[in-house]
Amino acid sequence: MQIWGNINNRLSQKEISLFRANGVIGSEVIFYKELTSTFDKIRELTPKDGLTVVCASQTAGSGRLGRSWESSEGGIYLSFALVNIPPYISLPLVTPICALGVCKALQKYTDAKIKWPNDIVYRGKKLCGILTKSLISQKGAQAVYVGIGINVNNTFSQNLPYATSLKTVCGKEINENALLFEVLDSVDKVWSRGDIKAIMEEYRTVCVNIGKEVTLVKEDKEIRGVCTDISLSGELLFDTGEATLAVHSGEVSVKGIYSKEGNNQDEITDL
Ligand code: BT5
């Protein structure tokens, strides 16, 4: 960590080559100045555990349900591959585990929290989005790819009412290389902890949904209620007043957390 104090702020090949992974995630890190999307690039490569593609900007960054992820220079955009997923990690847990890892890294800078299942937020604004895809690579191998977009020193060209950056919340420029290393280390630590109960207990302590009124949107139907908890398998537990429902993130959208209600298209989650 100490050597990272003197490195340049902007993502660069030279700085990134200093990174040494402690475990699986980031076992090999490949840097590009610009890509269409880190998902497009990583799919061209032979998948191996922890292989990570990072870039300084994306021209076609993707969010969920075909939405776009604004990816101008100053942010961190990465995807890593998971090939040998331990049997105790079911696929719906991959995103929450990674979200906890990213959240813990961002907490070194600010009071970051998780909006179930995949957003890292600061006071009702989105600092980071995570998207997990299960894909067959272009070389034919099956892998799970986790994509992480973090708003660091970047600004937004569109009107994104829920977006904020670390630079804005910290009031100063952030070293992108050091943050990248911290994120990879932190995700790896949570990933390799092996105790799902402990991981999900910690996830609950930073999850902003619990105890809040939320509206679930499934297809065209809206159901109002209170999020009572997040289950050990990563489902949102939801009390409608008549029943408690357990919902997977892929089934529903969640409204009621971001600070500017109304433009709720941006809150849909789909994994
Ligand atoms: C996500 O989607 O939050 C997942 C974003 C994942 C991005 C990473 S970057 C590296 C990797 N490569 C990729 O191509 N993607 C992944 P979703 O929950 O659907 O949120 C998307 C919505 O957030 C958009 O419809 C916008 O309204 C809003 N948005 C777009 N860019 C944003 C940004 N930079 N910061 C905050 N909000 C943004």
Side-chain angles (χ1 to χ4, degrees):
M1 287 268 182
Q2 287 76 355
I3 57 157
W4 301 347
N6 294 324
I7 63 179
N8 286 328
N9 280 357
R10 290 295 145 128
L11 287 179
S12 81
Q13 176 62 54
K14 183 167 156 263
E15 316 291 1
I16 288 173
S17 65
L18 296 173
F19 180 69
R20 298 287 171 272
N22 287 321
V24 173
I25 313 295
S27 54
E28 186 182 342
V29 183
I30 308 175
F31 172 72
Y32 297 86
K33 266 308 262 176
E34 184 171 272
L35 292 171
T36 50
S37 158
T38 54
F39 282 126
D40 295 341
K41 177 52 73 180
I42 202 164
R43 282 187 70 198
E44 292 171 7
L45 308 172
T46 302
K48 66 175 194 191
D49 258 331
L51 171 68
T52 303
V53 165
V54 183
C55 69
S57 65
Q58 298 182 124
T59 54
S62 58
R64 296 160 173 258
L65 294 171
R67 286 192 298 260
S68 63
W69 184 256
E70 197 176 304
S71 311
S72 59
E73 231 175 277
I76 296 177
Y77 313 102
L78 68 94
S79 291
F80 58 80
L82 297 166
V83 181
N84 298 305
I85 299 184
Y88 55 84
I89 300 183
S90 59
L91 279 191
L93 283 174
V94 173
T95 302
I97 287 172
C98 295
L100 181 61
V102 178
C103 184
K104 285 162 74 85
L106 298 189
Q107 281 176 341
K108 292 185 187 147
Y109 296 81
T110 193
D111 185 26
K113 297 268 186 341
I114 298 174
K115 173 186 175 268
W116 179 88
N118 72 314
D119 291 348
I120 313 297
V121 298
Y122 171 80
R123 296 194 180 164
K125 302 233 171 186
K126 187 158 166 172
L127 276 172
C128 164
I130 301 172
L131 175 53
T132 304
K133 296 177 185 245
S134 177
L135 288 176
I136 310 274
S137 83
Q138 284 164 12
K139 301 202 167 157
Q142 178 103 40
V144 168
Y145 295 104
V146 179
I148 300 173
I150 309 172
N151 298 322
V152 190
N153 299 310
N154 51 313
T155 52
F156 310 103
S157 64
Q158 300 170 14
N159 181 22
L160 293 176
Y162 313 128
T164 192
S165 68
L166 264 192
K167 181 179 175 181
T168 303
V169 305
C170 298
K172 61 173 189 198
E173 182 105 350
I174 303 297
N175 189 309
E176 294 154 23
N177 297 290
L179 176 63
L180 168 68
F181 301 168
E182 287 158 359
V183 166
L184 293 173
D185 265 348
S186 180
V187 173
D188 186 74
K189 272 205 190 90
V190 181
W191 182 254
S192 56
R193 198 189 284 171
D195 181 346
I196 295 299
K197 193 160 174 273
I199 292 172
M200 291 313 291
E201 266 164 21
E202 193 174 355
Y203 183 99
R204 289 182 185 116
T205 66
V206 293
C207 177
V208 292
N209 305 84
I210 297 172
K212 298 259 170 61
E213 277 189 29
V214 288
T215 303
L216 299 189
V217 185
K218 188 172 179 182
E219 283 136 26
D220 281 342
K221 279 206 333 224
E222 294 200 350
I223 320 170
R224 283 172 198 281
V226 174
C227 167
T228 53
D229 207 348
I230 307 296
S231 77
L232 274 187
S233 44
E235 297 147 321
L236 181 129
L237 304 180
F238 179 76
D239 184 359
T240 63
E242 286 164 9
T244 298
L245 311 177
V247 287
H248 288 289
S249 53
E251 299 171 16
V252 294
S253 318
V254 182
K255 294 198 270 174
I257 296 297
Y258 283 127
S259 56
K260 293 202 177 194
E261 288 298 334
N263 183 1
N264 51 37
Q265 275 196 335
D266 292 346
E267 293 197 45
I268 293 170
T269 53
D270 74 337
L271 188 83

